Amino acid sequence: MPCYYDVADILMEEELISVVFQVTANGVGLLDPGAERNSVEKGAKVDLPFWLAHGMLSLEQAVSINVPPCFTQKTRKEIQADAACVDLRVRCPYFYELGCKIVPLVGDKSIGQFLRYAFTSRYKEILSKAHSSSTMTVPKLATRLTKEEAQVFESARESMSAFRKWRVGGARLQKASILGRKRKTKLPDGPSTP
């Protein structure tokens, strides 16, 4: 279920997905730019936003969803060859989130394993670049990252920046004020001791 207030989720659901109509649909000719009438014929291939394709799929199986091009065998082979060099942002800015949502809707169950492999193989490179780059420069890698990877990259840079600041002499751990006060204890037999 989509997160209603999450802008990233809204933008992800706008990704175009190729579908094939399983039934003739009247009154929706605007969906197919090549349609001459106000209907889409059975077997017509149309690109729809993910939210609409998902809705039409759950509505009496009106469409079948094709595997998006960013999850094809060609992309998989490129990622297996050298994951860090593949520009996933061009293919799909919300690569991982779309992949997680598309898995239950298409017949290809290997997409889940592919997503895990892609993320784990790129994760090390993302952290390495984030920790080694200065806060003022953005490495070339950052232009190839998906939205999810860019969040990991920025979090790692902020973490490293905070660590460097601490290490050079930033705010150190301080003794709690409650620990600095002396308590007077009463002994059972005698007077209080400071």
Side-chain angles (χ1 to χ4, degrees):
M1 178 149 185
C3 300
Y4 186 77
Y5 295 108
D6 186 8
V7 175
D9 195 56
I10 293 168
L11 292 173
M12 184 285 305
E13 291 205 349
E14 286 295 321
E15 287 291 322
L16 294 178
I17 304 295
S18 177
V19 300
V20 177
F21 276 82
Q22 301 299 318
V23 295
T24 300
N26 293 320
V28 294
L30 295 174
L31 297 176
D32 186 6
E36 296 175 6
R37 300 186 322 225
N38 194 18
S39 64
V40 177
E41 298 297 323
K42 179 179 179 178
K45 194 175 197 179
V46 180
D47 289 336
L48 298 176
F50 176 78
W51 64 267
L52 183 57
H54 183 261
M56 294 182 86
L57 178 68
S58 59
L59 178 68
E60 298 183 26
Q61 305 291 323
V63 297
S64 64
I65 296 178
N66 296 330
V67 175
C70 58
F71 300 112
T72 61
Q73 291 300 324
K74 180 183 176 199
T75 304
R76 293 179 192 204
K77 287 179 182 176
E78 289 175 4
I79 287 178
Q80 288 172 347
D82 189 2
C85 292
V86 179
D87 190 353
L88 288 179
R89 178 179 278 179
V90 170
R91 291 188 168 111
C92 180
Y94 297 95
F95 181 78
Y96 298 104
E97 192 171 347
L98 179 64
C100 289
K101 290 191 176 190
I102 205 94
V103 166
L105 304 178
V106 296
D108 190 358
K109 301 302 179 194
S110 66
I111 292 175
Q113 294 170 344
F114 168 64
L115 289 172
R116 183 173 48 88
Y117 175 79
F119 186 76
T120 54
S121 58
R122 291 169 64 94
Y123 184 75
K124 182 179 178 184
E125 184 73 19
I126 291 169
L127 290 184
S128 174
K129 295 290 186 190
H131 287 171
S132 63
S133 67
S134 70
T135 56
M136 297 300 166
T137 62
V138 177
K140 187 178 177 183
L141 171 75
T143 61
R144 296 190 306 260
L145 300 178
T146 66
K147 298 292 184 180
E148 299 93 350
E149 291 172 336
Q151 288 175 343
V152 170
F153 180 79
E154 284 305 314
S155 294
R157 283 180 73 173
E158 290 171 9
S159 171
M160 194 62 181
S161 176
F163 173 73
R164 286 182 183 140
K165 182 179 176 183
W166 173 82
R167 190 171 181 201
V168 179
R172 299 286 183 178
L173 296 176
Q174 298 176 357
K175 190 164 115 178
S177 60
I178 195 165
L179 296 176
R181 294 184 294 182
K182 292 187 175 184
R183 296 188 309 185
K184 293 184 179 181
T185 58
K186 267 190 176 181
L187 296 174
D189 297 319
S192 298
T193 59

